[in-house]
Amino acid sequence: MKVDIIFLLALNFENMITTKAFFRDFTRVLSEKESLAAIKSAGDSLELEGVLKAKLHWI
């Protein structure tokens, strides 16, 4: 097995409910093959940010 992606997250949500919701949704996105392919194909940090925001429904 090899590692394709490593995420380092620095998050500061105001409450535990928001934190749990983020990780639930983030885990869902990472488990979807289409989403993971879009993340891997991002050309730079701004494109990666856009992909993640779209997949997490933040935009």
Side-chain angles (χ1 to χ4, degrees):
M1 176 189 291
K2 72 175 191 168
V3 175
D4 289 322
I5 293 178
I6 296 174
F7 284 98
L8 301 175
L9 303 173
L11 307 170
N12 186 18
F13 294 115
E14 293 186 19
N15 61 55
M16 187 60 75
I17 293 170
T18 304
T19 303
K20 287 180 180 181
F22 169 80
F23 280 106
R24 181 192 63 235
D25 293 344
F26 189 68
T27 302
R28 175 189 48 79
V29 166
L30 294 180
S31 69
E32 298 169 350
K33 289 183 182 182
E34 177 185 311
S35 297
L36 200 52
I39 290 167
K40 289 179 182 180
S41 69
D44 59 30
S45 60
L46 288 177
E47 189 176 348
L48 175 59
E49 179 183 359
V51 169
L52 288 173
K53 284 182 174 180
K55 297 295 182 180
L56 292 168
H57 305 289
W58 286 7
I59 55 173

